[in-house]
């Protein structure tokens, strides 16, 4: 008797013959070559995304659209406000927040971390692996992802940066899928307080 278990591939490559794609099979990511470019998609508990990584016309294939499916309601405004207040209290240092789902509700965690005015690093714990959204602050700088952020944010989750905390608070949001990013409007994920300026919709 052959008891060998065949696991799905880590990475898979598809061509879009139509705009109806099959369910994700790869354990990590799938690259989709479509009529309007190359896309990258992945799925984890609570989150499925397909992000654009190269825009170009490819003859004979169907065009497709990026998407984000999150199995939770929007993060409540009160949790966003709490992140802003905690960020202001942490000044002059940066601060890191984790958001994860539990019983259909969002939970906010401030993990053990080492912080300075220009950096913050977590001490990895149990909540890290369940985290769907990771937000950190730039106390006096605008909400822009730095090259250090690009190097650090190599996993699969939603990443946010909260900036200019004491003048006009700003926010920027993106999905990270193992080294590639797709900037998305913050209101897709959060109930946004009116005083926060969403910079995600600005030209990248």
């Amino acid at each position: 008797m052959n008891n060998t278990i065949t696991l799905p591939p880590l990475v898979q490559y598809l061509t879009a013959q139509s705009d109806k794609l099959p369910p994700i099979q790869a354990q990590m990511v799938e690259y989709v070559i479509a009529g309007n470019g190359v896309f990258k998609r992945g799925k984890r508990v609570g989150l499925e995304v397909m992000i654009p990584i190269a825009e170009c016309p490819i003859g004979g294939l169907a065009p497709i659209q990026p998407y984000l499916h999150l199995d939770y309601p929007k993060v409540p405004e009160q949790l966003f406000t709490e992140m802003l207040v905690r960020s202001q209290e942490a000044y002059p240092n940066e601060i890191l927040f984790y958001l994860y789902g539990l019983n259909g509700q969002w939970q906010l965690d401030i993990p053990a971390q080492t912080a300075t005015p220009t950096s913050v690093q977590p001490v990895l714990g149990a909540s890290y692996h369940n985290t769907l959204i990771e937000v950190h602050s730039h106390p006096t700088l605008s909400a822009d992802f730095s090259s250090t952020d690009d190097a650090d944010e190599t996993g699969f989750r939603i990443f946010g940066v909260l900036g200019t905390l004491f003048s006009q608070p700003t926010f920027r949001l993106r999905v990270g899928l193992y080294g590639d990013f797709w900037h998305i409007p913050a209101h897709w994920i959060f109930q946004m307080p009116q005083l926060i300026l969403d910079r995600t919709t600005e030209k990248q």
Side-chain angles (χ1 to χ4, degrees):
M1 178 180 294
N2 187 352
N3 293 323
T4 302
I5 299 175
T6 302
L7 296 176
L10 291 176
V11 180
Q12 188 159 289
Y13 302 87
L14 305 175
T15 55
Q17 304 298 324
S18 79
D19 60 357
K20 302 289 193 258
L21 298 176
I24 295 174
Q25 298 296 323
Q27 295 182 59
M28 289 186 65
V29 297
E30 293 184 348
Y31 290 90
V32 183
I33 304 169
N36 53 337
V38 181
F39 296 76
K40 187 177 182 179
R41 65 178 186 159
K43 183 176 182 178
R44 55 173 293 187
V45 174
L47 178 64
E48 180 178 335
V49 301
M50 182 167 68
I51 68 174
I53 59 173
E55 183 178 350
C56 59
I58 300 176
L61 296 177
I64 57 176
Q65 297 300 318
Y67 62 79
L68 181 149
H69 297 152
L70 188 63
D71 293 340
Y72 293 94
K74 291 183 180 182
V75 178
E77 182 177 332
Q78 67 185 52
L79 290 185
F80 197 111
T81 301
E82 182 176 349
M83 288 193 296
L84 175 60
V85 171
R86 294 293 189 97
S87 296
Q88 292 170 333
E89 292 173 347
Y91 179 82
N93 291 336
E94 294 186 2
I95 188 171
L96 176 68
F97 303 96
Y98 289 160
L99 286 155
Y100 62 94
L102 181 65
N103 298 324
Q105 301 295 321
W106 287 105
Q107 307 295 318
L108 177 63
D109 182 36
I110 302 176
Q113 54 196 263
T114 301
T116 74
T118 58
S119 67
V120 61
Q121 292 292 331
V123 178
L124 300 185
S127 66
Y128 174 83
H129 302 288
N130 297 325
T131 295
L132 287 173
I133 306 172
E134 179 179 315
V135 176
H136 73 282
S137 66
H138 287 174
T140 60
L141 300 177
S142 189
D144 292 295
F145 292 97
S146 66
S147 57
T148 299
D149 296 334
D150 292 344
D152 288 343
E153 296 175 353
T154 57
F156 177 15
R157 60 181 52 169
I158 298 166
F159 296 99
V161 58
L162 184 58
T164 50
L165 304 176
F166 299 98
S167 51
Q168 168 60 73
T170 54
F171 190 59
R172 194 183 288 274
L173 197 65
R174 66 185 182 180
V175 180
L177 183 56
Y178 302 120
D180 289 297
F181 301 101
W182 180 34
H183 292 260
I184 59 173
H187 67 81
W188 284 12
I189 307 299
F190 291 87
Q191 294 178 352
M192 295 292 291
Q194 290 188 352
L195 61 87
I196 305 295
L197 176 62
D198 178 11
R199 297 200 64 230
T200 308
T201 54
E202 297 177 4
K203 184 178 180 180
Q204 306 303 319

